[in-house]
Amino acid sequence: MARRGASTRGRAKAPGKGGADDATGRRGGGRGPGRTEREPVSRQVAGGLAELLPDRERPHGWTLLIDGAPQSHVDLDDPAHLSFAYQRRLGHVIDLAAPPLRPLHVLHLGGGAFTLARYTAATRPRSTQQIVELDAPLVELVRDRLPLDPQARVRVRAADAREGLGRLPDGWADLVIADVFSGARTPAHLTSAEFLTEVRRVLKPEGRYTANLTDGPPLAHLRGQVATAAAVFPELALAADPVVWRGRRFGNAVLLASGLPLPVAEFTRRVASDPHPGRVEHGRALADFTGGAAVVTDAAAKPSPAPPPSVFENP
């Protein structure tokens, strides 16, 4: 989930029905040489109304929204382009997971428009990836309108994220990326220590877990998620916009966790250098941030808080 207006410049102002797009998401019949005209696509999926809106600044860029909440941005011609701020931060995690170009085993919990799987395939060829996405009609829409590179080694499974996680063998993944939203909220069963224990089982000893989290003032959910991750992983870092850290606005935070030391200095440098600079906390400062929040268990887990309507209004 991303705040609307932060990174979808030039998109259509209103949803519409799909036109005669071909399987690449490119619309024929443009006016003039080299020009194409694209129209928004909308389709009812399990999670609500899915909309694919063309990015007017990128000829083959699209933004995916579910019930008005921006979920993903994709550029079919440049899969290494990450538009949303939180996706850029997840991209930094992918970049720092191993030396450049080394293939990875990556599990994506939550598919969206497959943005991060495309990024991994483009920047780390020969990587083996699995996407677990519960919304089968959404998977069908993305496959149809925004197809994956046929050379990419990406398997997509329509299943619940925790169920799909449970099917993987011990020590399979170099990286587990969680970006799961039902509407604009993370489901409760993906917020607990039991869930993170399963994540750590699937990771290699040196593997890393990263998650897109959302919260707003007073950041009780975010504090609880950090405390819960600290109960499972000894090494943590958290990246967010300064206004989110100060509890002044609802927004995204990217959690990074591992059993071994993290590249905190380089992660911090990259996040601070983004077009929308963020701040990274770790160590004692991050422990203090939790403020004694309780570890979340399956028995007490709740979905992440719903964002206020203003989050999805254009500035």
Side-chain angles (χ1 to χ4, degrees), residues 1-3 70-71 86 178-187 191 211-217 219-223 225 238-240 244 249-255 302-308 311-312:
M1 192 282 293
R3 187 171 68 91
Q71 301 288 331
Y86 88 86
D179 188 10
V180 186
F181 287 86
S182 177
R185 307 178 72 181
T186 300
T191 67
N212 176 31
L213 308 175
T214 58
D215 200 8
L219 301 180
H221 174 74
L222 193 55
R223 297 178 202 278
Q225 287 303 285
L238 187 71
V244 174
R249 193 192 76 199
F250 193 100
N252 300 75
V254 169
L255 176 69
K302 298 178 181 179
S304 65
V311 169
F312 303 126

Side-chain angles (χ1 to χ4, degrees), residues 266-293:
E266 181 60 17
F267 184 51
T268 300
R269 186 192 70 78
R270 292 185 181 218
V271 169
S273 301
D274 279 337
H276 297 281
R279 193 176 91 221
V280 175
E281 295 287 3
H282 69 287
R284 173 53 58 186
L286 188 55
D288 291 345
F289 167 76
T290 65

Side-chain angles (χ1 to χ4, degrees), residues 190-210:
L190 304 180
T191 67
S192 69
E194 291 90 339
F195 163 68
L196 290 180
T197 299
E198 269 293 279
V199 169
R200 189 161 186 189
R201 176 191 66 78
V202 168
L203 285 171
K204 297 176 181 178
E206 69 280 11
R208 295 170 187 168
Y209 169 70
T210 189

Side-chain angles (χ1 to χ4, degrees), residues 85-203:
Y86 88 86
Q87 290 185 327
R88 283 194 296 272
R89 291 165 191 166
L90 292 171
H92 298 327
V93 173
I94 295 167
D95 293 343
L96 297 173
L101 298 179
R102 178 183 294 179
L104 298 175
H105 282 192
V106 184
L107 172 64
H108 302 266
L109 301 177
F114 310 161
T115 303
L116 294 168
R118 300 172 199 269
Y119 179 85
T120 303
T123 60
R124 295 183 177 276
R126 302 182 308 282
S127 291
T128 299
Q129 303 186 75
Q130 291 199 31
I131 297 172
V132 181
E133 168 59 58
L134 179 62
D135 195 329
L138 176 61
V139 170
E140 181 182 355
L141 171 64
V142 173
R143 282 188 179 279
D144 177 37
R145 298 288 179 165
L146 308 174
L148 287 163
D149 181 344
Q151 302 302 315
R153 299 172 61 181
V154 181
R155 178 183 180 186
V156 184
R157 173 180 292 170
D160 173 77
R162 193 153 164 183
E163 176 188 345
L165 179 67
R167 293 179 180 176
L168 287 176
D170 295 359
W172 181 85
D174 295 293
L175 186 60
V176 174
I177 301 173
D179 188 10
V180 186
F181 287 86
S182 177
R185 307 178 72 181
T186 300
H189 68 299
L190 304 180
T191 67
S192 69
E194 291 90 339
F195 163 68
L196 290 180
T197 299
E198 269 293 279
V199 169
R200 189 161 186 189
R201 176 191 66 78
V202 168
L203 285 171

